[in-house]
Amino acid sequence: MENLQELADAVVSRLFVELEASGRHVHVTAQQAKVMFGHPLTPERPLSQPGQYLAKERVRLIGPKGEFRNVAVLGPERKEGQVEISLTDGRTLGIDPPIRLSGDVAGSPGITLEGERGRVTLSHGVIAAQRHVHLTPSDAAKFGVRNGQTVRLQTYTARPTVYGDVAVRVSPEFASYVHLDYDEANACGFRKGDLGRLLP
Amino acid sequence: MENLQELADAVVSRLFVELEASGRHVHVTAQQAKVMFGHPLTPERPLSQPGQYLAKERVRLIGPKGEFRNVAVLGPERKEGQVEISLTDGRTLGIDPPIRLSGDVAGSPGITLEGERGRVTLSHGVIAAQRHVHLTPSDAAKFGVRNGQTVRLQTYTARPTVYGDVAVRVSPEFASYVHLDYDEANACGFRKGDLGRLLP
């Protein structure tokens, strides 16, 4: 029975990638953390990507039309602040974010962030994350894809969907997961543990 | 030039169906309208489906975890109350709606609605609308599909997507449009006027 389970796991891992839904969150610089919290970020729990963590600190996102309280901050600190929201969140905030890969924030809208100790206004940095798949080099080789290309993704979810324009990101520092935002997760009826398959 | 435009329109209409995004809304009975507003629904503007209209009246949706104000009421009145929300809305309200076609509300969760004049509590009726395409009989024949089946839909949108499990609904009383909820509309980057194609 254990051998059968191992066999099944091997077949599944050869064909499928686990899906994860990313809620709205922010990345901050060390200086922004100091202004908003008075100290560096404090890890609360690790995320699926090695070295990344959810911080104990939370922020308020303040847009021209609305706000969100208690928004997750992900660590470690980065060289530039960034706010990742869904298009649905954008309607609430009154901000129309471009669809971008993390880190590609040139020309994107700004926003105000507020922590317990202070406020920071970003002149730019608000994006809706392009759907993407993190792959280890060995998984990328297995699936026959390379860093920087886009693929289609079949979701094995309650509302079956094929997402196009899924960016492939390959690094030895990654764990293999597909990242969808909450609009995408809900549109396909995602539940934790659901799998997807990269289509050629 | 006009002839070329007509030709282009003919080609497009032969292959594509216009997409529409449906926001959260409610349908009420005549009796529920009387309790909540003190009078029958008042049409504000017609919707794309012939005979359907957005009412001037608005309601508050009150769930166990949150609420929405100023929610659209669609007329005319029906035989049974129904509340259509997205899965994202469900998280805000604290309600986990089943994915159903309009009218199929047996066993679904309840909710409280409030108008200016009174409240109504539904014992059931909250659903997330299954994505669907309304087709005239002639368009259904043209696309080779029939009422009750499901098809896949390729969206020609900013975030290209193929939605599976799209219900086909055919009636001489319909105008041909695909209806997505806001999760689905945002997941595919829908903008007003975007088109979709039914896949075999």
Side-chain angles (χ1 to χ4, degrees), chain B residues 112-199:
Chain B
T112 296
L113 311 180
E114 185 180 86
E116 321 174 308
R117 295 276 291 268
R119 279 187 178 204
V120 165
T121 293
L122 306 183
S123 63
H124 63 283
V126 182
I127 63 171
Q130 183 179 349
R131 42 207 181 212
H132 57 278
V133 54
H134 294 267
L135 292 174
T136 61
S138 69
D139 280 346
K142 197 175 67 180
F143 294 124
V145 298
R146 58 187 195 287
N147 188 57
Q149 78 170 103
T150 58
V151 293
R152 292 179 305 144
L153 170 81
Q154 169 76 59
T155 73
Y156 293 87
T157 49
R159 305 165 108 176
T161 299
V162 177
Y163 284 124
D165 276 357
V166 178
V168 174
R169 304 180 63 187
V170 182
S171 165
E173 296 178 4
F174 288 160
S176 295
Y177 283 94
V178 170
H179 282 174
L180 303 175
D181 70 17
Y182 266 87
D183 287 339
E184 294 161 338
N186 284 328
C188 73
F190 164 79
R191 302 272 169 163
K192 190 169 163 49
D194 284 345
L195 302 175
R197 191 159 65 89
L198 307 187
L199 302 181

Side-chain angles (χ1 to χ4, degrees), chain B residues 70-92:
Chain B
N70 207 35
V71 173
V73 181
L74 305 191
E77 289 88 347
R78 292 193 175 186
K79 288 187 181 161
E80 189 163 28
Q82 178 173 302
V83 176
E84 296 180 47
I85 61 173
S86 69
L87 298 185
T88 296
D89 292 340
R91 291 174 68 98
T92 301

Side-chain angles (χ1 to χ4, degrees), chain A residues 87-88 91 96-97 99 128-131 152 158-165 181-189 191, chain B residues 87-88 91 96-97 99 128-131 152 158-165 181-189 191:
Chain A
L87 297 186
T88 296
R91 291 173 68 97
D96 188 17
I99 311 295
Q130 183 179 351
R131 43 208 181 212
R152 292 178 305 142
R159 305 165 109 175
T161 298
V162 177
Y163 283 124
D165 275 356
D181 70 18
Y182 267 87
D183 287 338
E184 294 161 338
N186 284 327
C188 73
R191 303 272 170 163
Chain B
L87 298 185
T88 296
R91 291 174 68 98
D96 190 16
I99 311 294
Q130 183 179 349
R131 42 207 181 212
R152 292 179 305 144
R159 305 165 108 176
T161 299
V162 177
Y163 284 124
D165 276 357
D181 70 17
Y182 266 87
D183 287 339
E184 294 161 338
N186 284 328
C188 73
R191 302 272 169 163

